[in-house]
Amino acid sequence: MTDRKILLSEKDIPQKWYNIAPDLKTPLAPPLHPATHKPLGPEDLAPLFPMALIAQEMCPDPFIEIPDEILDVLKLWRPTPLVRALSLEKALKTKARIYYKNESVSPAGSHKPNTSVAQVYYNKQEGVKRIATETGAGQWGSALAFACSLFGLECQVYMVRVSYDQKPYRKMLMQTWGGKVAASPSTLTKYGRAVLEKDPGNPGSLGLAISEAVEDAVGRDDTKYSLGSVLNHVLLHQTIIGLEAIEQLKSIGEKNPDVVIGCVGGGSNFAGLAFPFLKDKLKGKTNPKVIAVEPMSCPTLTKGLYEYDFGDMAGMTPLVKMYTLGHDFMPPSIHAGGLRYHGMAPLVSNLAKDKVIEPRAYHQIECFASAVLFARTEGIIPAPESSHAIHCAIDEAKKAKDGEVIIFNLSGHGHFDMASYDKYFSGQLEDYEYPMELIKAALKTVPKV
Amino acid sequence: MTDRKILLSEKDIPQKWYNIAPDLKTPLAPPLHPATHKPLGPEDLAPLFPMALIAQEMCPDPFIEIPDEILDVLKLWRPTPLVRALSLEKALKTKARIYYKNESVSPAGSHKPNTSVAQVYYNKQEGVKRIATETGAGQWGSALAFACSLFGLECQVYMVRVSYDQKPYRKMLMQTWGGKVAASPSTLTKYGRAVLEKDPGNPGSLGLAISEAVEDAVGRDDTKYSLGSVLNHVLLHQTIIGLEAIEQLKSIGEKNPDVVIGCVGGGSNFAGLAFPFLKDKLKGKTNPKVIAVEPMSCPTLTKGLYEYDFGDMAGMTPLVKMYTLGHDFMPPSIHAGGLRYHGMAPLVSNLAKDKVIEPRAYHQIECFASAVLFARTEGIIPAPESSHAIHCAIDEAKKAKDGEVIIFNLSGHGHFDMASYDKYFSGQLEDYEYPMELIKAALKTVPKV
């Protein structure tokens, strides 16, 4: 009988992260100082991040050793299972073999702890006592609170208000791990207070919450800032996903995948699975189709511009070259909360620009339908974000040739998103395609560099 | 470095369940017909259960083969990891080695699918189209809805009203797997309507919901009833937990455990872990301390009577010999919802009566404190039920001798119980010891047999 789960033992966990930067076709455009528009030096990032992470952000080496202390904590749930989706395949009557990497098994329920554990470790090494961050749907905030609790650091989370109100359980999760959670815009920061003064009912956005967390970190000596996606070092930490997957496929004698799929918000779970598979593609040794899936309501890769833009709403972060909908973009309150960021990781953007990866956008209702099919066959209730990857995998499986191998990242479970499923079943969800006029208007805020 | 997780491969999953009945010191007292008080025959149970399960209920053999179709579905998440609680040990500075069996990794988040999958399979084999059941906190209802969705059966769940109102996410979970959920007491049954007429605000109880589900099943040709705990065949299906654990301990050369711990409501997760370890204890080959942990607010084993009583409130089920607080017992609305049943599995009761196992009761606030320590060290947020086992393990670890081995069952996660954690942190939880006068009053309803 074919095994459903392909497991690795703890001793076979990857010992190094894969840094895709040196392997890119086009070198990565340097981040620029928000005021001077000159390339950033490490010292410009020092108020925000510990030096070890800044070094990783700019590292020219293709592999970076993972410290034992990080591996030891990752082993609480890693290596994660690679699962052959036998029951889904049967339901689809597909000729493809479908695999998914199950990142939902982490204590926080998503891939996010892969980087939160690493980030908290390096902060602790450099004497940091407190970390400030933002969170959208709460996946990242939970992951950081979890990691802080293990290493004994304080954690302050600015949570986008619409999610704070819609997802109280995720807030309680962060609190159980000892994190402090404020709805953003909050009264804790100057920027938050200014927004609230103009617009007391502001629902918040990831860009806005980032501004608050950055202000918090810059204003206190004991505090640094932490980001859950977008940056090079964050994507780096996630590559353990794809590195494990490659070993797992090898261990059962499976061929290189024909299709590799991940959903994208900031880009980290997609990068985590896809980058290790892109290593050989960039060298011309393999040629998998690698698909980054985003929601129609926040179509960064499919409708944005590839330009220098701010990572946050207030324009406090460095300028990075990326696909963007403009840092003023205010996404609609759809429920796939983690995929609502105006920008896209520079590394993922670079690969999309060079057509190494293929962007694709789906509507949320079709994604929920696929998520329900997945739940009723494979058992796991997926996060709404991950449902975009599932829907794409099903789409590809339906037209697959005999023996095609599809792999996707199940980035998280939906246990804290059941209200979205309730809305889906009661017909309260709507599909929403962000209108081109509004995108054009938002893009006017992209600075001239 | 010591591995945190001890894994088995799918081919090493146990092929047989362990039936403790023939190994008991005192033979199990036979169940009696609710009207005649005569021992039951298989035909008396036929309106409720398929014949295969009735045969298991009365089986004299110590091992029963697990059909391949059941094993194939169990492999969606089994074998489950046995985890060495290294971080908890460090926090406690204990001399003991603590292990926990992580049953929270199932799609429904608890041990319950071990039996729901088996039960749905046997029902389907005998042509049943629809299954009715009750659920307290929703763990069992979710597990049955999950299993029904995989095998294509309809699922009707009667959910104790207090949980239905407090745990909307668990209700949505069942619905995502296609289950139908009614708050009990409901208007769907005669018994429910009668209760509501007298007391429209009745918060429900497990005994009451059982009455409704039994009435539903008996009244329809296409429907059978399913129970998530208490019965012999349910406990049987759970023994896969302990059988795996024994193999896992062997695989790392660990000695037989000195202490085996599980929380008890109806008794199934406790039995699942403990019974395989009791096999050798009953033969005098080993002598572990085996502790069944219950809440002070529902002290069935520690303060109940060992008598024949009904399994439900209406007196429709067979009479079984067990520890009971009386079938009229109305537990207070504490939050460890799964541990609120008035009775206890006859097999567990028999072992407690014969002092093979040791019952113990704890208050809920101390259990929550231990759950938070566990979350902040091992990462996983435990179900409030499982927190009783954790608290007991910590209690034992604190007084352990050097090299003592403690194993407990982490029966489920608390992702759908975050509101209870919120109440714990905000000081809204109260400890409650069910008063002896009320227990004595409730026990007057135990029929004279």
Side-chain angles (χ1 to χ4, degrees), chain A residues 5 10 75 78 176 376, chain B residues 5 10 75 78 376:
Chain A
K5 301 181 299 300
E10 289 181 19
K75 287 173 184 172
R78 301 206 75 86
T176 301
R376 293 182 182 178
Chain B
K5 302 181 298 300
E10 290 181 18
K75 287 174 185 172
R78 300 206 76 86
R376 292 182 184 178

Side-chain angles (χ1 to χ4, degrees), chain B residues 46-69:
Chain B
L48 292 178
F49 303 109
M51 290 315 292
L53 291 177
I54 295 170
Q56 289 180 359
E57 190 65 20
M58 302 174 167
C59 181
D61 307 324
F63 285 98
I64 296 172
E65 198 113 4
I66 310 177
D68 280 346
E69 294 87 340

Side-chain angles (χ1 to χ4, degrees), chain A residues 66-86:
Chain A
I66 310 177
D68 280 347
E69 295 87 340
I70 293 175
L71 285 175
D72 183 47
V73 174
L74 293 181
K75 287 173 184 172
L76 280 171
W77 72 97
R78 301 206 75 86
T80 64
L82 180 72
V83 187
R84 173 83 185 271
L86 289 168

Side-chain angles (χ1 to χ4, degrees), chain A residues 7-202:
Chain A
L7 304 173
L8 291 180
S9 68
E10 289 181 19
K11 70 174 172 35
D12 295 324
I13 197 168
Q15 306 287 316
K16 294 174 181 180
W17 292 300
Y18 168 55
N19 176 24
I20 202 171
D23 291 337
L24 294 173
K25 280 191 186 179
T26 310
L28 207 57
L32 306 179
H33 192 282
T36 66
H37 293 193
K38 297 245 163 76
L40 281 185
E43 67 288 356
D44 294 310
L45 294 172
L48 292 177
F49 304 109
M51 289 314 293
L53 292 177
I54 296 171
Q56 289 180 358
E57 189 66 19
M58 301 175 168
C59 182
D61 307 325
F63 285 98
I64 296 171
E65 199 114 2
I66 310 177
D68 280 347
E69 295 87 340
I70 293 175
L71 285 175
D72 183 47
V73 174
L74 293 181
K75 287 173 184 172
L76 280 171
W77 72 97
R78 301 206 75 86
T80 64
L82 180 72
V83 187
R84 173 83 185 271
L86 289 168
S87 300
L88 177 64
E89 287 174 18
K90 205 171 149 193
L92 295 173
K93 299 190 181 82
T94 176
K95 292 170 183 166
R97 296 193 289 281
I98 307 176
Y99 296 88
Y100 61 92
K101 190 69 172 153
N102 185 2
E103 291 295 308
S104 79
V105 299
S106 82
S110 79
H111 66 293
K112 295 287 188 188
N114 295 330
T115 184
S116 70
V117 166
Q119 290 189 44
V120 173
Y121 167 78
Y122 288 117
N123 271 286
K124 184 170 183 173
Q125 286 293 99
E126 298 186 22
V128 176
K129 304 282 180 225
R130 180 175 173 275
I131 301 186
T133 198
E134 73 290 335
T135 197
Q139 294 274 22
W140 171 242
S142 318
L144 192 68
F146 157 72
C148 282
S149 84
L150 293 183
F151 287 103
L153 272 71
E154 268 187 70
C155 181
Q156 173 66 52
V157 181
Y158 295 88
M159 184 174 189
V160 176
R161 170 161 299 278
V162 56
S163 296
Y164 185 94
D165 293 338
Q166 279 174 8
K167 308 194 172 184
Y169 280 25
R170 190 97 62 177
K171 178 185 62 192
M172 296 169 198
L173 189 62
M174 291 183 244
Q175 288 166 342
T176 301
W177 281 312
K180 290 187 180 141
V181 189
S184 167
S186 79
T187 56
L188 298 183
T189 66
K190 228 195 260 186
Y191 187 65
R193 288 190 295 271
V195 169
L196 285 172
E197 205 166 302
K198 270 197 253 169
D199 177 13
N202 189 299

Side-chain angles (χ1 to χ4, degrees), chain B residues 419-439:
Chain B
S420 313
Y421 280 90
D422 198 39
K423 286 191 175 161
Y424 166 69
F425 282 114
S426 58
Q428 292 173 61
L429 284 191
E430 275 174 42
D431 281 339
Y432 179 86
E433 200 173 330
Y434 208 82
M436 269 322 287
E437 313 86 75
L438 288 181
I439 292 177

Side-chain angles (χ1 to χ4, degrees), chain B residues 234-254:
Chain B
V234 179
L235 274 55
L236 173 79
H237 301 154
Q238 294 296 353
T239 57
I240 196 165
I241 300 171
L243 292 166
E244 282 180 6
I246 288 172
E247 287 312 307
Q248 285 164 313
L249 289 173
K250 262 191 208 158
S251 76
I252 55 162
E254 182 57 277

